[in-house]
Amino acid sequence: MSILKRRSPGSMFKRLFTLMTATMLLCIFVAGFSLMFFFVSFWKNDRLTSLADDALSLAQSVEAFYRDKSVSGGLDETAVVSGFMAAVRDSGDAVVFITDENGKITMCGDHGGSSEDCPVHFDSVFPREILDKCTETGKEYSFDEPIKGFGSSENDTFLCAVAPYHTQDGICYAVCMQSLISAYLPYTTEFVRMIILTGLIAVLLSFFSSLAVSYKMAKPLKKITDITHEYGEGNFTERISELDTYSELTELAEAFNSMADNLAVTEQSRSNFVANVSHELKTPMTIISGFIDGMLDGTIPEEDREKYLKIVSDEVKRLSRLVVAMLNMSKIEAGKLIPSLAEVNLADLICRTVIGFEKVVNDKDIRVIGLDSLENVTANADGTLLTQVIYNLFDNAVKFTPHGGTISLSLTSDKKNAVIKIRNSGKGISAEEQALVFDRFYKVDKSRGLDSKSFGMGLYIVKSIIELHHGTISINSEENGYTEFVIKIPI
């Protein structure tokens, strides 16, 4: 079995604030470096394209000059080519030189076109393998990699473009190259500066937004926690209101308030139940104890003992009903009350149960109608449990029917269900109380007048038994008119 690790206690506000701030900073960090990566990649590709265009432009210009040299009017060859190289160098901010087919640098754009005057390129030889690649493709070739003999170390990386051109002496190459570091560093520095500045602004904004959001989210939860402590102390009057910050918190507040309402009703019902049970236990036990003591000490004459023993017997039965009701409720809540199903004739069951009330019905001069018109309906049910249902409902009907009133019984079927109706005349039940009569411990008559022997569990048990049979029970009532219970049981 897995065991949940208990986290160390801490403020939710602090953790939420820290988490949101850290998440935003991480997002800013990742976004900044991602932008830098894409920026460098874009800049490098764009720069290589620009160098390739410059190298091709230089190669085409020089080749055209040599091809039309005869009509150039005897211009100085070095000066003209040097001008071409200077123009390309200035426009592209690159190192420009020309090599022969063996890679020897013949002209340098930094020193008037003469490679002999250039201390860097005087004895440098451009790698032949790069020139061969350019020859193979027959067009300009660009790359970024270290070039041996160029730069302060062998690891210096260059952006470089080579373009071939033809002269009377053979193939020459126009080369435009730029140190990656020297070209990249100014842009990178500026970009990093902008990222840092933007990041600082974003950090400040994220700090205050995280602070506001965290506080706004934690405040209602703190309110819920405070009210929960009130519930823990038994005070169910507090309710959560004005939680319109987020829909989830609003739903939580509504569920919490609903739970509080149910807890308040349950607590009130429990208190009433404890009071009722205490009274119901105390009264018969006092009566039993008093009469028995009276018989033992001779206070009650021997000729009156039978009368008082009958009273003691009734009180014992009353205690027995209370114990049975409590045991049934316990079984229902534990899921241990399982119906023993068999074919049951519901008309016979109703008649047998009602006959047991003959004396009390006659004493109250109640008229019972409908027994002779019950339909012959059978159902697959537990006869003992259904007898308890009919007994409790008819007992309630007798209890709340005034002297000389009427109780009507009905048994029909609608092809799918057996429908049992028990209606009694009387003062009825208000609409507010109709929704509560099936709750545990609820008593309609709280004055203990008509309902003096009720424990507030009868209708709860009735409903539970009906639901065990996959049936339903409902109530119809009209104040100062009637009360009717309608039971539907699958047949």
Side-chain angles (χ1 to χ4, degrees):
M1 181 176 65
S2 61
I3 301 176
L4 295 176
K5 293 183 178 180
R6 181 182 177 88
R7 294 189 63 181
S8 58
S11 169
M12 177 182 175
F13 169 74
K14 291 181 180 179
R15 289 183 176 177
L16 188 60
F17 171 71
T18 303
L19 178 62
M20 292 184 66
T21 303
T23 301
M24 290 185 179
L25 290 176
L26 179 62
C27 290
I28 293 171
F29 177 81
V30 173
F33 276 87
S34 298
L35 285 173
M36 181 179 294
F37 172 79
F38 289 116
F39 168 78
V40 170
S41 178
F42 170 79
W43 176 87
K44 186 168 65 174
N45 292 332
D46 181 72
R47 189 61 187 145
L48 284 172
T49 301
S50 178
L51 288 174
D53 291 341
D54 290 344
L56 180 61
S57 176
L58 176 60
Q60 290 175 343
S61 298
V62 174
E63 184 177 14
F65 170 74
Y66 281 115
R67 185 175 62 248
D68 300 332
K69 187 176 179 181
S70 58
V71 295
S72 61
L75 295 176
D76 183 5
E77 176 182 320
T78 301
V80 172
V81 175
S82 177
F84 292 153
M85 297 173 68
V88 172
R89 179 198 63 196
D90 295 339
S91 64
D93 191 24
V95 176
V96 182
F97 51 86
I98 294 174
T99 72
D100 59 19
E101 60 183 2
N102 295 316
K104 180 176 175 56
I105 297 177
T106 58
M107 298 188 71
C108 176
D110 291 336
H111 294 83
S114 174
S115 62
E116 295 179 356
D117 296 332
C118 178
V120 177
H121 302 133
F122 173 70
D123 58 351
S124 299
V125 177
F126 198 76
R128 179 60 186 270
E129 59 271 15
I130 297 176
L131 299 179
D132 290 340
K133 290 180 181 179
C134 185
T135 304
E136 291 174 3
T137 60
K139 58 182 181 180
E140 71 277 8
Y141 173 71
S142 58
F143 60 94
D144 61 301
E145 59 184 53
I147 303 177
K148 188 176 181 179
F150 293 81
S152 59
S153 69
E154 293 185 357
N155 295 323
D156 286 348
T157 301
F158 292 89
L159 301 175
C160 187
V162 181
Y165 68 91
H166 297 271
T167 65
Q168 293 177 347
D169 299 328
I171 298 178
C172 292
Y173 300 90
V175 179
C176 294
M177 62 186 298
Q178 193 172 25
S179 171
L180 180 61
I181 294 179
S182 62
Y184 168 68
L185 188 58
Y187 294 96
T188 304
T189 303
E190 182 64 20
F191 190 82
V192 170
R193 188 183 70 82
M194 290 188 295
I195 288 292
I196 292 175
L197 181 61
T198 305
L200 289 175
I201 296 174
V203 166
L204 290 176
L205 292 176
S206 67
F207 177 83
F208 289 109
S209 63
S210 298
L211 188 65
V213 171
S214 301
Y215 178 77
K216 197 172 183 180
M217 291 184 67
K219 183 179 178 181
L221 295 178
K222 177 66 168 58
K223 187 175 183 180
I224 292 175
T225 301
D226 293 339
I227 294 178
T228 302
H229 290 315
E230 293 289 329
Y231 294 166
E233 295 175 0
N235 178 17
F236 299 104
T237 59
E238 295 291 333
R239 295 293 183 271
I240 302 170
S241 60
E242 300 179 358
L243 287 187
D244 56 352
T245 309
Y246 302 99
S247 60
E248 291 83 358
L249 290 177
T250 301
E251 292 174 2
L252 175 61
E254 292 174 353
F256 218 81
N257 289 337
S258 177
M259 179 194 70
D261 292 337
N262 293 333
L263 286 174
V265 171
T266 302
E267 178 63 18
Q268 183 61 42
S269 299
R270 185 193 63 81
S271 299
N272 293 340
F273 171 72
V274 171
N276 292 340
V277 170
S278 299
H279 176 81
E280 301 300 339
L281 288 173
K282 181 179 179 180
T283 301
M285 290 176 69
T286 301
I287 293 173
I288 293 170
S289 176
F291 287 159
I292 290 178
D293 288 342
M295 284 183 257
L296 289 176
D297 62 16
T299 303
I300 298 176
E302 187 172 349
E303 60 271 15
D304 293 333
R305 289 184 180 180
E306 184 176 350
K307 180 179 69 173
Y308 289 106
L309 284 174
K310 179 66 170 58
I311 296 174
V312 169
S313 176
D314 291 340
E315 295 302 325
V316 169
K317 291 176 182 178
R318 182 178 174 185
L319 287 175
S320 177
R321 288 197 303 271
L322 175 59
V323 172
V324 169
M326 294 181 68
L327 288 175
N328 284 339
M329 187 180 69
S330 177
K331 288 180 181 179
I332 290 170
E333 293 184 342
K336 295 181 178 180
L337 188 62
I338 302 174
S340 179
L341 303 180
E343 285 295 320
V344 177
N345 188 302
L346 297 179
D348 291 343
L349 184 147
I350 293 172
C351 290
R352 289 195 307 269
T353 305
V354 171
I355 289 174
F357 288 88
E358 182 178 2
K359 183 177 184 304
V360 66
V361 166
N362 291 333
D363 290 343
K364 292 187 69 175
D365 195 22
I366 296 174
R367 189 163 62 99
V368 179
I369 59 177
L371 281 178
D372 54 350
S373 59
L374 300 177
E375 292 185 10
N376 189 26
V377 181
T378 60
N380 189 32
D382 187 317
T384 302
L385 293 179
L386 285 189
T387 298
Q388 185 176 355
V389 168
I390 302 301
Y391 181 92
N392 285 347
L393 292 179
F394 197 83
D395 183 52
N396 272 350
V398 172
K399 189 184 306 177
F400 291 101
T401 301
H403 190 86
T406 302
I407 298 177
S408 62
L409 298 162
S410 170
L411 172 60
T412 58
S413 65
D414 60 5
K415 295 183 180 181
K416 292 183 179 180
N417 300 291
V419 182
I420 303 172
K421 296 181 181 179
I422 301 177
R423 174 187 287 213
N424 68 278
S425 60
K427 66 178 183 179
I429 302 174
S430 66
E432 293 78 11
E433 290 185 312
Q434 287 180 34
L436 303 173
V437 293
F438 295 109
D439 290 349
R440 290 180 302 170
F441 317 135
Y442 186 80
K443 294 180 68 174
V444 174
D445 181 24
K446 300 178 179 61
S447 64
R448 303 181 187 277
L450 298 173
D451 202 11
S452 61
K453 294 184 179 181
S454 171
F455 313 123
M457 294 182 290
L459 291 179
Y460 169 75
I461 294 174
V462 164
K463 183 181 179 182
S464 299
I465 291 174
I466 296 299
E467 290 177 347
L468 285 175
H469 288 81
H470 306 289
T472 61
I473 182 171
S474 59
I475 182 173
N476 302 313
S477 186
E478 182 180 306
E479 290 191 71
N480 298 318
Y482 68 91
T483 299
E484 180 182 60
F485 287 93
V486 180
I487 301 171
K488 291 184 178 182
I489 300 176
I491 56 177

